[in-house]
């Protein structure tokens, strides 16, 4: 499992998940958006990092008394200490938000350790506290019951599903105010470059539309004048 | 397809979707609320305009490469340029928010063209940007994937379903902080008048309740004193 | 139906639903969180009060014309006037948010009467107005249609289900920014004490983690030093 | 709570739930079909009887050990012994089929006691055995877990919801191979008469269509010849 | 809108929807299966015919009294008389089975007229009667309430969605005991040929597996001996 | 991963999943029923065997062309050849039935190899063919699209979730006409004994109820006479 280069990371910090989805769509990848997860604090900037995964299965009552957490090798607790700085923990909670995937103390610990973010297709408990942290977190909805109620962590860093998307360890995860997208590790660099370029064009188009220009010929750029104007705009803007 | 009169439009700017629903309920119309759509910017005032509809079907992969948008007659792009100023575009996305119904550039273009708003029972991409625009937009939830992933626009201005509600072109659409309601074109004027009157009464009742009065006899006004007091209040308030 | 003591009420004002859920989990109670309800105003402090219940069934059209509310003994209206000060009204709306459970005037009346809050597993109409009131309210989502559209109130203060949780009249209801939990009346005092103690420990742990300490041995406190440090911290903090 | 007359019962034995739904629709009653319940044995004839209701709420673990059934006054067991011969037990299971509403022994006991049938919007356990009994039973799907897992019976013969339909004790319940419909007690006689007449006409139409006649003018009978032909057919058939 | 050739029709009568789905998958078409519809009579052979579509929107109460069917140009009734012999009517019911899409008299009329079948992503009323007809019908589940309760027919032979699949008029519809698949008109011939060939191979494989052969090298045919054996089998079987 | 003893297997062949659920409930295990899966052939006897698991994640398009099955080490194909005789394959399909979990050829191969059954919380393709095999199979509903459309097999014999139930390799799986239950390996013997005894008692009770006896004192056996009668019945029946 590699890590995205700093250049790729920097570019992905500035583009939207929507733009990335379009770049993935052009390559035949239509299911990379983690469905129905939301940022606890939409004001934080983009979340970018390689995926570190955690897999939950339904909790069997006899295996999940409150005492399990006294074992430091419990996969959930181990994952919190092992997730590398710069990585994003992605949890397969089977789209089950009726019990928590994790709470504020664990998320805080990950923040202190330098992790880049955390995502679950279930819910976090202590959501109001997590929303005040500086590390991005995404979930379906707040969920106060302890994870032992419905979830048992069993695997670290295996391929998982999260919100109907496939997540392979090392894939590059990007989150913005809209949600979270999964970029296959092998194409992260090219997607970053393409999305960065697309973003410049979209910013140009937005300015033009705001100034009253029709989208016909402009978006997409079927009128050659659009391309000319865009080149001039880039030069003027230094982009 | 007509347009609501300015008087009707003005009244509807000041009443709530809840009050309109009650006026519709009295006429036997119980399904006019577009279910489970939410304003991207609840701080904007009411959205009011006649319905201009757009119909999507599931996207067949061979018919929906990224290149389709180079055709200016593509129904989605055409709709954005054709939706009349003052109208509200209502999109039938089959309650499918897993791919976008539209993105910020198209919504911005509609705003610049003077449209009154946009509604989908799916989701918008670039939702954070759309939330900062001055034109009201309503959806189920943010959705970054391009609409081509799951949606193909096929019809403009035909009767559609949106969020379980029937929407006929020309129906009067009203949105507030709570959601969006569809008023059949033929009764828009009378509903506007009735809702306007109801709103005055509800404002009076709210004041009375805040002052400590019981709802018994007051709401509804079964105590004759309520009617007398209300008339006095209207005179005093100039309403 | 009793009421929680002032000491219990005071403690519950300061703890989270997440902490309460863990205390309940330790006693084998896994389903006390009302699922998928959200505060209309998350900025209000905790909601605490004994449950006063209202039960809805599907509305039959002939029994639910708009005129039913002229009867002051209509269960919904009677409940609003009868819910004791300090109590929380909990409504069984069968998880059906497509029509309202109540609107702002009724909620305002309850606020003026000194009730502690209101919860439905459906939705409120006039949600933007309710969000501005000083009494906490929780629902699934805003819903403008009058409750007569889909709901008929039939019973007051019977055991109900709300959001998949059992609610018995007199149970102690606690809501925070995350949601609402139901504490069986008979164990409210001990849960309050336990949750209050747990909260002190969690606050200590949070400080430690923020200062860079690992969760191993700290959370849970398997390292004896954790217990020693916590005792010192309590003394220092006067908690 | 009355009972349907024998004449009404006899007629309802011979008509379909679809025909009854249309007769109810003409009276403005659109929600009387219990949604998404299915006969365990579609080969049995129509189920007809007055509603005897049973209400479940979510089970709280401490109140629902296996030992509760040693109490003969437990509402579920009491209901099985109290449901009158000729009546249909209708259970409000909150559309929750993940634990059983009842099992074969209780259903058998009701059969022996002469009850007319049983309906739940959850599921039955021992469904293969129940499917072999002579008394009609309807549910959403088989469900093996004991009802104590998720359900606690709390009320007998109160108004309930079942499959989104309102059910008042004494309403007349009719089930066929398609599902179950609820006829308000006060109009059961007239609905039975009307549905009986409609059935004769539909049988006539079916014969005509099978013989090659177009539905235009025939169904509905806008062509006067249809009415004449139908009268002749009735005379010939003795209906 | 063309029709499939007799040769194509004949081949499609003998292959499964599963095999067709694989042939479509190879061409990048992943969403052509109409989701969650079931045959009312699984014992009938394959349904094959070109799509004739009917589009429903949510019913507005004032536009849908029982009297609308007195108008022979009502789109639902007109569609029943206009659907060509050999065609399959596909109804977009917005995956809403709580009211009927059609009933037995209309389906019988279509059978008499020589139509090839009928599909809805909602439900049929009089389902037990329809299950006894010789024309294949597919739906989600039985639904007794008249279609006017929730559906209004508005369009004939436009592109629609049905069970999440895109259906264009003239597409070739195939149903078997498993469900219904939509073959784009332009590739129906080649899909029929390919699926016919695949079926021969699958029949061969099934025989081999039944005789004890491992799937390794056999399915798919990576072992050259498999191909040789298959050729011999075809010759022996005359296929 | 052990195997259930022959004695345990024999007993479990004769008891119902409902009875097993009750025995598990008494031990605090409330979530062992695989929710919403159904037998393709309800006429086959009980399915009994130790769990052999297969885990799917969402399919990424570039990793799942049709050619992947040419690799004999593909986890799905490998699992079919590796699942031990006497074992039940349980597939975690994330409750996603919109593409197949497997088809008839693979299921047939497992039958020939002596496996005891197969379960998915998704759907099988070629369901009509599988329904005619002698090996029990359980799924949510038929699903024709190839599994590559939505599923990628990644793991064999790891703990999984299936239909909301936890399944650990080696757990004892029992299926009957009602569904499938998971017995933790360590208590399979005692559950088998207890369920076997309970079944004798339930058979006795059923006979008594059929003969007209009330359930009071009989079920459960609070009347000492019940116990006496049961002992006599056992002696007479030789059970």
């Amino acid at each position: 499992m590699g890590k995205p280069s700093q250049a790729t990371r920097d570019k992905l910090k500035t583009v939207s998940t929507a733009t990335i989805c379009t770049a993935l769509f052009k390559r035949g990848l239509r299911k990379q958006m983690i469905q129905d997860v939301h940022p606890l604090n939409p004001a934080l900037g983009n979340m970018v990092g390689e995926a570190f995964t955690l897999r939950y299965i339904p909790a069997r009552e006899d295996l999940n008394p409150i005492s399990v957490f006294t074992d430091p090798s419990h996969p959930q607790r181990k994952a919190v200490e092992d997730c590398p700085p710069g990585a994003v923990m992605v949890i397969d909670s089977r789209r089950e938000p009726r019990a928590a995937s994790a709470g504020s103390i664990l998320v805080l610990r990950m923040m202190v350790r330098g992790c880049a973010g955390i995502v679950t297709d279930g819910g976090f408990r202590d959501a109001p506290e997590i929303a005040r942290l500086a590390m991005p977190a995404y979930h379906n909805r707040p969920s106060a019951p302890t994870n032992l109620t419905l979830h048992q962590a069993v695997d670290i860093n295996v391929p998982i599903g999260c919100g109907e998307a496939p997540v392979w360890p090392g894939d590059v995860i990007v989150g913005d105010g809209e949600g979270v997208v999964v970029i296959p590790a092998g194409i992260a660099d090219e997607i970053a470059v393409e999305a960065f370029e697309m973003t410049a064009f979209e910013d140009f188009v937005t300015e033009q539309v705001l100034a009253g220009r029709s989208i016909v010929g402009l978006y997409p750029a079927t009128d050659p004048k659009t391309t000319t104007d865009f080149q001039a705009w880039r030069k003027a803007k230094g982009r």
Side-chain angles (χ1 to χ4, degrees), chain A:
Chain A
M1 166 178 153
K3 294 183 178 189
S5 70
Q6 191 60 41
T8 288
R9 195 181 291 262
D10 288 347
K11 284 192 182 67
L12 293 174
K13 278 278 186 186
T14 69
V15 302
S16 72
T17 56
T19 300
I20 293 169
C21 281
T22 299
L24 293 167
F25 177 86
K26 291 180 187 170
R27 285 161 180 79
L29 298 171
R30 299 154 177 271
K31 296 175 169 290
Q32 300 302 111
M33 193 75 190
I34 297 179
Q35 290 291 335
D36 212 6
V37 301
H38 313 283
L40 277 79
N41 181 355
L44 295 175
N46 274 18
M47 170 181 76
V48 179
E50 68 276 14
F52 178 90
T53 68
L54 181 59
R55 184 166 77 89
Y56 287 174
I57 64 165
R60 209 173 79 196
E61 292 91 336
D62 60 330
L63 300 177
N64 288 280
I66 196 78
S67 56
V68 293
F69 290 133
T70 59
D71 176 3
S73 69
H74 185 282
Q76 190 211 41
R77 299 303 163 94
K78 187 166 163 29
V80 165
E81 293 291 339
D82 286 2
C83 181
V88 173
M89 182 182 288
V90 186
I91 308 175
D92 176 350
S93 301
R94 309 176 319 284
R95 289 186 279 166
E96 171 60 272
R98 292 183 299 166
S101 298
S104 63
I105 291 172
L106 301 188
V107 177
L108 174 63
R109 174 61 182 156
M110 290 178 60
M111 183 188 89
V112 170
R113 291 190 55 256
C115 300
I118 186 167
V119 185
T120 180
D121 58 0
F124 292 116
R125 67 198 313 225
D126 313 317
E129 284 70 36
I130 294 174
R132 287 192 287 270
L133 299 181
M135 186 183 80
Y138 293 77
H139 68 168
N140 178 261
R141 64 170 171 85
S143 182
T146 170
N147 70 314
L148 299 171
T149 312
L150 291 174
H151 298 302
Q152 175 167 357
V154 290
D155 267 330
I156 290 177
N157 246 3
V158 295
I160 60 170
C162 186
E164 301 187 43
V167 185
W168 293 75
D171 282 351
V172 179
I173 306 297
V174 181
D176 64 3
E178 190 142 283
V180 179
V181 69
V182 181
I183 311 176
I187 57 171
D189 291 343
E190 67 183 75
I191 293 287
V193 169
E194 181 168 326
F196 189 78
E197 294 296 304
M198 288 169 67
T199 300
F201 181 67
E202 287 160 1
D203 288 350
F204 161 74
V205 167
T206 297
E207 273 192 33
Q208 297 291 307
V209 169
L210 197 56
R213 194 160 165 177
S214 163
I215 54 173
V216 180
L218 175 70
Y219 184 66
T222 50
D223 181 345
K225 184 171 186 311
T226 298
T227 307
T228 318
D229 290 353
F230 177 46
Q231 296 310 331
W233 180 90
R234 292 195 86 159
K235 183 170 284 181
K237 297 277 179 183
R239 294 180 68 171

